[in-house]
Amino acid sequence: MAQKQALRKGALRDCSQRCVYCATPLDQRTVTLDHVVPLARGGAHDQGNLVSACAPCNRLKGDLLPFEFFARHPWAGANFVRYARNVTRALKRGARRAVSLAYARPDEAMAA
């Protein structure tokens, strides 16, 4: 239990005490830990894969991979890039790519 509280406190600190997906301010009572790459999809239970999230965003993401989630919800990816400081570079790079592709798609549809 103490290890989980330490992970939660560290994730909250590393994410500027905000939900990394919607930027809602969080505290120790309202924060949930989210595995960016879900355990069910091969993710690890380490600090580079854990972020702070509010319960509604954590449920919305579910077991989606970051690219799938950010492609559906680019606003979440933009906030993730801004607030998730302690995740691996590959996750940040993937989030940037997913957000840019998600925002580019509507423009391509309008041009056609």
Side-chain angles (χ1 to χ4, degrees):
M1 188 67 161
Q3 182 184 9
K4 189 171 183 176
Q5 283 183 334
L7 284 172
R8 184 179 291 155
K9 191 173 184 177
L12 193 60
R13 181 195 63 235
D14 294 340
C15 299
S16 301
Q17 298 194 5
R18 294 189 175 272
C19 171
V20 295
Y21 303 122
C22 69
T24 300
L26 299 171
D27 60 25
Q28 277 293 103
R29 293 171 298 142
T30 58
V31 68
T32 63
L33 286 178
D34 181 52
H35 293 85
V36 180
V37 178
L39 295 175
R41 306 276 297 264
H45 188 69
D46 62 17
Q47 204 166 3
N49 191 40
L50 291 171
V51 293
S52 63
C54 65
C57 286
N58 205 345
R59 283 191 301 273
L60 180 66
K61 182 177 173 285
D63 67 348
L64 295 174
L65 290 172
F67 185 83
E68 297 166 341
F69 183 62
F70 300 146
R72 291 182 193 176
H73 307 287
W75 51 267
N79 285 329
F80 180 84
V81 169
R82 183 174 182 189
Y83 292 111
R85 291 191 200 136
N86 202 35
V87 296
T88 63
R89 286 186 191 164
L91 289 174
K92 276 240 177 152
R93 198 173 27 241
R96 283 189 190 99
R97 191 173 301 129
V99 169
S100 65
L101 288 173
Y103 281 127
R105 285 188 191 126
D107 294 340
E108 292 171 4
M110 293 177 79

